[in-house]
């Protein structure tokens, strides 16, 4: 059974930083396509960043480029999202997700961690 547990959210002032963690069990992060999504109040869930299985090629949403970095620690079987220069519009619930073994869709989701950026 695949389980994803996020942590690291909180309240931060604009311009600050946070690092989110996603501890994974039931699957090795090095062999799984992983990603982060977020959902702001009243808005749909949106893609933030992804890291591929194997070589760990990363991909960021336009709003995240230059500010957010996705990475993984194979030894800890954990995926991270380093967020710098945070803005109030980054406020929302951040979800860790993993694709199925075929790599076709994000089938596994964590419970989410709240990020609040004050102005």
């Amino acid at each position: 059974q695949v389980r994803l547990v996020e942590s690291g959210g909180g309240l931060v002032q604009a311009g600050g930083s946070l690092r989110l963690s996603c501890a994974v069990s039931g699957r090795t992060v090095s062999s799984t396509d992983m990603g982060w999504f977020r959902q702001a109040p009243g808005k749909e869930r949106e893609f933030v960043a992804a890291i591929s299985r194997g070589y760990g090629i990363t991909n960021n949403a336009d709003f995240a480029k230059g500010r957010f970095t996705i990475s993984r620690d194979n030894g800890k079987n954990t995926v991270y999202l380093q967020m710098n220069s945070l803005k109030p519009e980054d406020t929302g619930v951040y979800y860790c997700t993993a694709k199925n073994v075929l790599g076709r869709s994000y089938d596994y989701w964590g419970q989410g961690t709240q990020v609040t950026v004050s102005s």
Side-chain angles (χ1 to χ4, degrees):
Q1 182 180 357
V2 180
R3 186 168 181 235
L4 312 176
V5 179
E6 303 98 332
S7 61
L11 174 63
V12 63
Q13 288 189 335
S17 298
L18 283 174
R19 189 178 79 156
L20 306 183
S21 300
C22 174
V24 181
S25 59
R27 184 74 57 83
T28 56
V29 296
S30 61
S31 61
T32 305
D33 293 321
M34 302 290 302
W36 287 94
F37 281 68
R38 71 183 186 183
Q39 187 166 20
K43 294 187 177 181
E44 294 188 353
R45 191 173 297 188
E46 64 177 349
F47 169 77
V48 177
I51 184 166
S52 73
R53 70 181 84 177
Y55 291 114
I57 297 171
T58 62
N59 179 34
N60 282 12
D62 286 343
F63 66 79
K65 291 178 180 177
R67 299 191 301 129
F68 295 1
T69 303
I70 187 171
S71 63
R72 71 187 184 208
D73 184 326
N74 294 340
K76 295 182 178 180
N77 213 39
T78 298
V79 176
Y80 302 98
L81 184 67
Q82 177 68 44
M83 304 187 293
N84 300 326
S85 302
L86 283 162
K87 306 174 182 179
E89 53 263 43
D90 293 319
T91 294
V93 179
Y94 283 69
Y95 297 92
C96 178
T97 183
K99 286 189 176 180
N100 58 35
V101 293
L102 298 178
R104 292 178 179 173
S105 61
Y106 287 109
D107 285 353
Y108 306 100
W109 295 83
Q111 82 287 351
T113 186
Q114 176 70 44
V115 171
T116 303
V117 185
S118 63
S119 56

